[in-house]
Amino acid sequence: MDTDLARGAGRTPGSAVRDRAGDPDARWLTALMHAAFFLLLGASLTRFLLRHPGEARTPWIIALCVAIAVLYVIGPVLGSRPTPRSLVWLGVLVAVWMVLVVLAPSFAWCAVPLFFTGLRILPPRAALALVALLTLFVVAAQLRLAEGFDPNLVLAPPAVAAVATAVFVHMQRQAERQRELSERQRELIDDLLRTRRELAATERREGTLAERQRLSMEIHDTLAQGLSSQQMLLQAADRTWDADPATARRHIRTATGIAERNLAEARRFVHDLAPADLAAGGGLEAALHALATRETAQGQGRLTVRCHVEGERHTALPDRVQSALLRIAQGALANVKEHANATEAALTLTHLDDRVVLDIADNGQGFVPAERTGTAGSVRGHGLPAIRARLHQLGGTLTIESVPGEGTVLSAAVPLTATAPPTATEDLV
């Protein structure tokens, strides 16, 4: 019996603690505890029927076994909190078990699941009192079954009960500590994420300010200084135009040289402010492939972006067209990542005879375009208005095809011949 009691003590405390802590393993562990109870009850009834067949108390024993089985099944419905109903249920369950032990001492084997039922429901002091009472009944029952006095039967049940109680209390405290540790970890993670967002925002602001300062210094030291020198030289030429034409022409030639240098500086600024993928060379096709590869890598398995090029380019695309289409692709993919909840996206660049078309398609949640766009020029958000503005400057058109739950296709078409910007640059489907 010592071995069986020790095994029960090793299983049941963990079940009770996990049930309180909401551990995912609580269900099957609780089921195991219930199975152990019914197994012990069935074994005790079988032992009684085999050793005491046909006795007058047999119907009472069977009836009490059925009653205690029904009571035990009702227990999980009442929950593990010490409510009045659960306390009454526990009292009746223990009382029926005690009557069984008095009539048939072999039913003392069912005490182990009752130990932890009481420990799980009752306050600490009441639970310890119940364990002590159950232990006394177990000792008395074992002595009745024994042929003579056996010290092991007197000492073993209290020892097992003490170990089982200690294990239960220890595991309960461990579960509470684990819950506290989990809560602290969640708080730390929330603080870390908030700090990272604040740091990222600060870095963006600092980067913007630094870039503005750099550009202002560059413009001041080059273009502004050159324009100031040109102004002085032209004013000097104007003053000496009649009196000293040669000097005036020399001032004009110097101003012309400064203007050439300023033009070169302005072109350098434009080149530096162009998209980095285009500045690296390779044209729009290479830049779009690089963008798709970069977005796929940054998606870390959540978003896969593919790039396709169809048709042949007959003439080189103007720099402003390449830059605008690349920026449109970047903005559209930003919208996909932020709003679409998509797993796949595709960039398709199509070269036609009279225009170039960039399609950005995704398999996301889609939307109703009419809800995103009201009257002309009143689009919610910042992505679509920026795309419309870029296309409007190039005389292009924007078409959006989207159905909720079926993804979105955004098509930007730019004519290769100079045309006046249209008044309406967006078609919604």
Side-chain angles (χ1 to χ4, degrees), residues 288-366:
L288 291 175
H289 281 290
L291 175 62
T293 302
R294 183 169 61 252
E295 293 294 340
T296 300
Q298 293 176 356
Q300 298 180 352
R302 296 186 298 271
L303 177 64
T304 301
V305 182
R306 297 180 175 85
C307 181
H308 309 280
V309 178
E310 298 179 359
E312 295 183 0
R313 183 176 58 184
H314 301 290
T315 59
L317 295 177
D319 291 342
R320 60 196 300 259
V321 172
Q322 296 188 59
S323 179
L325 290 178
L326 180 58
R327 294 301 191 197
I328 288 171
Q330 292 171 339
L333 289 180
N335 280 348
V336 170
K337 292 189 296 184
E338 185 176 359
H339 303 294
N341 294 324
T343 58
E344 294 183 359
L347 302 175
T348 303
L349 181 67
T350 304
H351 293 285
L352 302 175
D353 293 336
D354 58 341
R355 66 187 183 275
V356 60
V357 181
L358 176 63
D359 296 322
I360 302 96
D362 66 78
N363 65 345
Q365 61 188 8

Side-chain angles (χ1 to χ4, degrees), residues 133-156:
L133 179 62
L134 296 178
T135 303
L136 289 176
F137 266 78
V138 172
V139 172
Q142 294 303 306
L143 290 177
R144 286 179 59 188
L145 291 175
E147 297 179 355
F149 178 78
D150 187 349
N152 189 43
L153 298 179
V154 177
L155 299 178

Side-chain angles (χ1 to χ4, degrees), residues 198-397:
E198 293 175 354
L199 179 60
T202 302
E203 289 179 348
R204 285 195 296 270
R205 288 194 297 270
E206 292 179 351
T208 301
L209 293 175
E211 183 64 13
R212 288 178 179 176
Q213 184 178 7
R214 184 187 72 83
L215 289 176
S216 65
M217 293 176 61
E218 289 281 346
I219 293 173
H220 177 270
D221 294 339
T222 55
L223 298 181
Q225 293 291 346
L227 291 173
S228 177
S229 299
Q230 290 179 59
Q231 183 183 22
M232 294 175 60
L233 289 169
L234 292 175
Q235 289 175 349
D238 182 62
R239 288 193 301 269
T240 60
W241 186 265
D242 295 328
D244 191 354
T247 302
R249 285 193 293 270
R250 188 170 61 252
H251 289 329
I252 293 176
R253 286 194 296 269
T254 304
T256 302
I258 294 175
E260 292 177 355
R261 289 195 297 271
N262 279 0
L263 180 59
E265 290 291 343
R267 288 172 175 169
R268 184 178 66 84
F269 287 154
V270 172
H271 183 270
D272 290 343
L273 293 176
D277 291 333
L278 290 176
L284 180 59
E285 293 83 355
L288 291 175
H289 281 290
L291 175 62
T293 302
R294 183 169 61 252
E295 293 294 340
T296 300
Q298 293 176 356
Q300 298 180 352
R302 296 186 298 271
L303 177 64
T304 301
V305 182
R306 297 180 175 85
C307 181
H308 309 280
V309 178
E310 298 179 359
E312 295 183 0
R313 183 176 58 184
H314 301 290
T315 59
L317 295 177
D319 291 342
R320 60 196 300 259
V321 172
Q322 296 188 59
S323 179
L325 290 178
L326 180 58
R327 294 301 191 197
I328 288 171
Q330 292 171 339
L333 289 180
N335 280 348
V336 170
K337 292 189 296 184
E338 185 176 359
H339 303 294
N341 294 324
T343 58
E344 294 183 359
L347 302 175
T348 303
L349 181 67
T350 304
H351 293 285
L352 302 175
D353 293 336
D354 58 341
R355 66 187 183 275
V356 60
V357 181
L358 176 63
D359 296 322
I360 302 96
D362 66 78
N363 65 345
Q365 61 188 8
F367 62 94
V368 179
E371 295 179 359
R372 296 292 180 92
T373 304
T375 58
S378 61
V379 182
R380 296 191 304 177
H382 300 282
L384 291 179
I387 293 174
R388 285 209 319 165
R390 293 182 186 278
L391 289 172
H392 185 77
Q393 294 174 357
L394 298 174
T397 58

